[in-house]
Amino acid sequence: MDQPTDAGIPAEEPRDTPLRGEHEALGASFTDFGGWLMPVRYTSDLAEHHAVRQAAGLFDISHMGEILVEGGGAGAFLDHALAGAISAVPVGRAKYTMILAEDGGIVDDLIVYRLQDDEFLVIANAGNREVVARELTDRVAGFDATVEDQSDDYALIALQGPTAERILAETAGVVELSLPLPEIRNYAWGSVLFGGEPLLIARTGYTGEDGFELLVPVARAAELWRALLAAGEPHGLVPAGLAARDTLRLEAGMPLYGHELSRDIVPAQAGLGRVIPAGKTGFVGEAATESRPDAPVLIGLTAEGRRAGRAGYGVFRGDERVGEITSGALSPTLGHPIAMAFVRPDALPSDGAAASDLTIDVRGTRIPATVTALPFYRRNS
């Protein structure tokens, strides 16, 4: 029987990705994430995290949204609708950007791929897929462009880690590369055939490692998943869940919507003012460019020991609460606690030196914390 929500409306069941059966066969544990039933782990969070740093991990990210924008005015439309200079992105490349509310708050962070001169693919976060599609549709009036949510037609699989390129090159059924894999640069894409079906492969990811994201028609998703696992077995590839993905992206200093990003935050507060080109005007959310000198800013914090601050824990200077952690964990790679937090600017040192008088309240115990530049972890090459 459906469980009622607080408003008396039955709660919706989380959606399954096309790979649900594959995850069950591999013994995955599941969680509801953004309205989707997603694998949180297969064996252990730590093992999956370390596999991605040392070899490779395979992630189901089919909960993400895929929205096609095309037409002669598609570039001009996206310049208006989004924060970035999308019309300047060359065919074959991708750009990290944001869709903003009128007041400058972040509706979602996105990756936009330019497929053709008049064709763009917008990748949205799972929980925001419908709102992004709706916002784009609402903003397209007056432009020679169309917006089509194609999310239900595709699965998205991420192959991440130092051995990802070799694994993809050895995957059975992957042929006819538009570019040799080494020539697909970071934030660029190429195409392959898999079982006769065209696939888009992008050198993007959310782990801080080298790797690819593969867009595959739903009907071929399970076949591709199995082929990648088979090719990767000799190279240390393991399936990896949301828990490992979260600690990997935290080490890499990558924001998560609902934690570091929200409608209450403008890009500059999150250290992402660069997504808006200098001097850009005439776009939805232009208010984000207004100065907000007293607004909390996102910082990195590190601590000693094993007790890590978590989302919602307070950051203090003396007895005064000056901020709040948005994401935190004991870093599997670095071996000490790390966190991202929004903190009042006046509580931070002005000379760039590490603040030694900040503490994190970890269940009633104040843990000294040091301001640390993001990212916490950066791969060697």
Side-chain angles (χ1 to χ4, degrees), residues 88-125:
V89 177
V91 173
R93 300 304 304 271
K95 189 174 187 64
Y96 176 81
T97 189
M98 294 179 178
I99 183 167
L100 306 178
E102 288 284 357
D103 65 0
I106 301 167
V107 175
D108 200 14
D109 62 333
L110 313 166
I111 295 180
V112 179
Y113 300 90
R114 191 165 200 164
L115 306 182
Q116 303 291 340
D117 285 340
D118 59 356
E119 187 176 358
F120 298 80
L121 180 65
V122 178
I123 304 295
N125 285 302

Side-chain angles (χ1 to χ4, degrees), residues 77-83 98-105 107 135 139 276 280-288:
F77 160 60
L78 290 172
D79 284 348
H80 165 73
L82 305 181
M98 294 179 178
I99 183 167
L100 306 178
E102 288 284 357
D103 65 0
V107 175
E135 289 286 344
R139 299 176 188 189
I276 305 175
K280 182 180 180 182
T281 60
F283 64 99
V284 179
E286 191 172 340

Side-chain angles (χ1 to χ4, degrees), residues 157-160 164-165 168 181 184 202-204 210-214:
I157 297 171
L159 174 64
Q160 300 282 298
E165 183 180 298
L168 186 55
L181 287 176
I184 301 177
R203 203 157 206 148
T204 49
D210 187 25
F212 300 89
E213 295 178 327
L214 299 91

